[in-house]
Amino acid sequence: MMTTDHTHNSPASTSLSPGARARPRTAGTPTPRITTAQRRALLAGAKDPLGLLPKSVNLRTLVSLADAGYVGLDQSRDILRGQEATRDQLDVWGGALTEAGWQRARAEGAGRFRIVVVGCGKAKQDRRVTAGAMYVGTFHGSCRETAKALLQDGGRQYILSAAHGLLDLTTEIDPYDITVGDPGSVSADFVQAQVWERGIESAEVTVLAGSKYVALARQSWPGLEAPLAGAGGIGEMKQRLSQIRLAARAEAGQER
């Protein structure tokens, strides 16, 4: 059964995680300085939907960030919920951003976690494969390439399937013949439950798909971007996708 427990270190949290040793700060208290390693760790954590810090972050940095109230234990895991982020626990489980950690990461230049959702396609493989390999149509392929360009600085790509809802690219599925709006296709409520389960309800979302898929996703992300909206057909959509790719790659090149 799908759960919708929202207790985790996501950007949508309204209080500090019980897994962190938070230090309350009063108004007017100067923001503490952080080292280059600490800043790098915070920005890396902000690229994960649950704020999980990479395993490459060393224990000394984790402990110092936990002492500052910026890092706790991953509250999406039942076994860790409510536990204190001690040195030993961090050594075993790693760390995740608290609400204060998300705020500091944004103050250091991190944006909201970015997601690009690509609609599924009619042309499919004839056997069970991963979602990332299932759809073989040229329009779907163009959307996937554009998603990759948009996520050069981090984030995650999902496929929105009429049969399965949100799919990670590595999830294995069987071929199907159904589209959004058909009897038996997934509902907006079903997709919204998946979004809450993944803890990505506060992400910055772009949907590269037709209008039915955009409408399906919009209940979960009312502020989503839909750059293909209003296009006159597949040809115009492909032109827009090409322009988006070129702009994203040019911007990435300028920043490097």
Side-chain angles (χ1 to χ4, degrees):
M1 178 180 295
M2 185 172 298
T3 62
T4 55
D5 190 342
H6 306 168
T7 309
H8 47 58
N9 286 322
S10 79
S13 301
T14 56
S15 60
L16 292 181
S17 159
R21 291 177 292 183
R23 294 182 176 179
R25 300 184 178 92
T26 58
T29 301
T31 301
R33 293 182 178 180
I34 58 175
T35 66
T36 299
Q38 290 171 329
R39 180 177 185 273
R40 189 180 298 118
L42 290 174
L43 294 178
K47 290 184 177 181
D48 183 271
L50 296 180
L52 303 180
L53 275 66
K55 294 180 180 179
S56 58
V57 177
N58 64 48
L59 182 58
R60 180 179 178 181
T61 300
L62 281 178
V63 172
S64 64
L65 289 171
D67 285 342
Y70 294 144
V71 165
L73 299 176
D74 177 11
Q75 297 299 291
S76 68
R77 305 185 66 161
D78 290 341
I79 194 172
L80 300 178
R81 194 164 296 156
Q83 294 196 34
E84 185 179 5
T86 63
R87 182 185 182 89
D88 288 343
Q89 290 281 51
L90 290 168
D91 190 23
V92 173
W93 299 103
L97 297 181
T98 62
E99 177 64 16
W102 280 104
Q103 292 174 2
R104 184 60 189 262
R106 292 185 185 121
E108 296 295 331
R112 290 191 298 170
F113 180 73
R114 191 166 196 187
I115 289 172
V116 179
V117 178
V118 174
C120 65
K122 185 175 182 180
K124 302 177 181 68
Q125 301 271 18
D126 60 0
R127 64 189 186 281
R128 183 178 180 85
V129 293
T130 63
M134 174 60 73
Y135 310 97
V136 295
T138 57
F139 175 66
H140 178 85
S142 183
C143 288
R144 292 279 302 281
E145 282 299 309
T146 305
K148 184 178 179 181
L150 289 172
L151 296 173
Q152 289 176 96
D153 293 327
R156 187 164 298 178
Q157 182 180 156
Y158 289 101
I159 293 174
L160 182 53
S161 161
H164 302 284
L166 282 180
L167 286 171
D168 295 287
L169 302 186
T170 56
T171 301
E172 289 193 351
I173 57 173
D174 292 310
Y176 58 90
D177 186 17
I178 193 173
T179 190
V180 170
D182 288 348
S185 63
V186 295
S187 66
D189 287 342
F190 181 86
V191 174
Q192 188 172 47
Q194 291 179 312
V195 168
W196 280 106
E197 185 178 40
R198 286 167 169 79
I200 54 177
E201 62 276 4
S202 295
E204 177 182 300
V205 179
T206 299
V207 178
L208 302 177
S211 58
K212 290 183 179 180
Y213 288 83
V214 171
L216 180 63
R218 196 174 291 281
Q219 179 168 313
S220 298
W221 298 295
L224 64 78
E225 295 183 7
L228 303 183
I234 295 295
E236 185 178 346
M237 286 184 178
K238 286 184 176 180
Q239 288 180 351
R240 291 190 188 183
L241 290 169
S242 178
Q243 293 168 355
I244 293 168
R245 287 196 298 273
L246 288 173
R249 289 165 181 165
E251 182 179 353
Q254 290 173 359
E255 292 178 352
R256 290 191 176 95

